[in-house]
Amino acid sequence: MAKRAFGNTRELPSGRWQARYRGPDGRMRSAPQTFAKKRDAERWLTLKEAEIARGEWVNPDEAKITVKEWAERWLSSVSPSLKPKTRASYTSLLRTLIEPRFGKNEIGQVRPIMISEWVASLTKRGLSPSRVRQAYRLMSQIMTAAVNNDLIKATPCRGVRLPRMPETEPHILTKAEVERLISAMREPHSLIVQLLAYGGLRIGEAFALRRRHVELEQGRLIVAESLAEIAGKHVFDTPKSHQRRTITLPGFVISALRSHLNRLPDDPDTLLFTGRTGKALHYNAWRRWHFDPAVEAAGLQDVTPHDLRATHATWVADRYGVMAAARRLGHSNASVTTRHYARAVEGRDREIADGFDAERGTRNGSADGVARTWHEKGDEQSPGVLSPL
């Protein structure tokens, strides 16, 4: 047996070599595998000693906690900062997709290939790309937390090919189409559509509006709450990303709000929109009985309440810029607005070209005159024409 100050190696009856070392906690530990040759065992000890010297040693006993145990501990620690809907989503993903596959595994046993195989199996089961990616992101958060807490050295959630999300474009409506939709709905449900299209509210934000959120004299609306449904039950919370905001509304929407408020109790906590029982609206029921029939009656197809928010973003971004649209939608980053909501308005490309023509015509007499002068000079560049960059 060869002894070292840090550790030692010994030959086993099988002819293979075992390496043992003393960890920073004073305990002697064996390498997780044996070695065919003595020099391989000694090389492993040298690398382990260097790892400890760099402060990178991870106690292998810590990694013996199961994925289920660690996931539950992690979720408990982050739950206070999660919105109820997010917390419910995480709980569902853990119970249905993560724990059945990894729950009994020690976190130190999970390897990248196992994660890749799991993702592939979820896709083969027919789960949507969105659902698969949600499950993977949650698993990644759990394993990253394990790294940050020195339970494992590296997360196994790396180098995994995720299913591609289908490229879906929001349905951007014209103002005439929105007005047809509004006309096809009964009050006060038509007012909800106005708030989505002309205020940019999320449907949950509209459902959560109370009398105290309306400032009629200032022509403003305070978006301070959002309504979500978890297992069929209503949950009131702050808006997405906790972005409380104030929105100035067009006069005709304020007028409709004033008329609606006149029919409601004076209690500041009174919900603006309720079902027949006087309780908050249920999204699926509202779609089935009010919104979808109106879409059909208006001669429209494939329109969702969320499309109205995207429509609002497009209208505002087109006329006032993306930053203005982001502010009205409650986005802290304008890139979210352009990526998920605002789209180029049809016909703007032609207007841009016509605008350049008009601009040249103003500077040089007329667009036709400039064009004729340009052609007469052949390849010589006429005054006022910009050189290509």
Side-chain angles (χ1 to χ4, degrees), residues 22 36 42 67 71 75 86-87 111 126 135 178 185 191 195 208 262-263 266 286 310 316 332-333 347:
R22 189 175 302 280
E42 291 177 338
V67 171
L75 184 58
T86 302
R87 185 163 54 247
R111 299 289 180 263
V178 168
M185 299 190 77
L191 178 55
L195 292 171
N262 288 338
R263 298 189 289 268
D266 290 333
W286 185 76
V316 175
S332 58
N333 191 327

Side-chain angles (χ1 to χ4, degrees), residues 6 15 25 93 117 161 177 181 206 268 270 329 337 363 367 372:
F6 169 71
D25 58 357
L93 289 169
E117 291 169 342
R161 294 180 65 87
E177 289 173 331
L181 180 58
T270 298
L329 269 63
T337 310
R363 289 199 306 265
R372 282 196 298 272

Side-chain angles (χ1 to χ4, degrees), residues 129 163-170 339-340 343:
R164 294 183 62 180
M165 290 288 289
E167 295 184 4
T168 57
E169 287 290 316
R339 186 165 66 250
H340 297 295
R343 294 296 183 271

Side-chain angles (χ1 to χ4, degrees), residues 14 61 67 89 129 137 147 169 173 228 269 273 285:
S14 63
D61 293 337
V67 171
S89 175
R137 283 197 298 268
V147 174
E169 287 290 316
L173 283 70
D269 286 334
F273 308 107

Side-chain angles (χ1 to χ4, degrees), residues 118-129 132 161-163:
W118 170 62
V119 167
S121 71
L122 296 180
T123 301
K124 290 178 181 178
R125 281 171 50 184
L127 273 68
S128 69
V132 174
R161 294 180 65 87
L162 298 175

Side-chain angles (χ1 to χ4, degrees), residues 173 177-197 203 207 263 273 281 283 285-300 303-305 308:
L173 283 70
E177 289 173 331
V178 168
E179 289 304 320
R180 292 208 312 267
L181 180 58
I182 293 171
S183 298
M185 299 190 77
R186 297 193 306 272
E187 294 183 356
H189 305 287
S190 58
L191 178 55
I192 296 176
V193 172
Q194 291 188 57
L195 292 171
L196 302 183
I203 189 63
F207 284 0
R263 298 189 289 268
F273 308 107
L281 293 169
Y283 176 75
W286 185 76
R287 282 285 305 267
R288 183 169 63 251
W289 296 108
H290 299 284
F291 187 82
D292 291 346
V295 168
E296 184 177 355
L300 302 172
V303 176
T304 69
L308 296 172

Side-chain angles (χ1 to χ4, degrees), residues 337-370:
T337 310
T338 54
R339 186 165 66 250
H340 297 295
Y341 295 90
R343 294 296 183 271
V345 174
E346 289 296 327
R348 283 292 184 262
D349 196 50
R350 179 69 265 168
E351 289 182 24
I352 292 170
D354 291 345
F356 285 135
D357 273 337
E359 190 176 298
R360 288 178 65 198
T362 301
R363 289 199 306 265
N364 301 291
S366 72
D368 290 342
V370 171

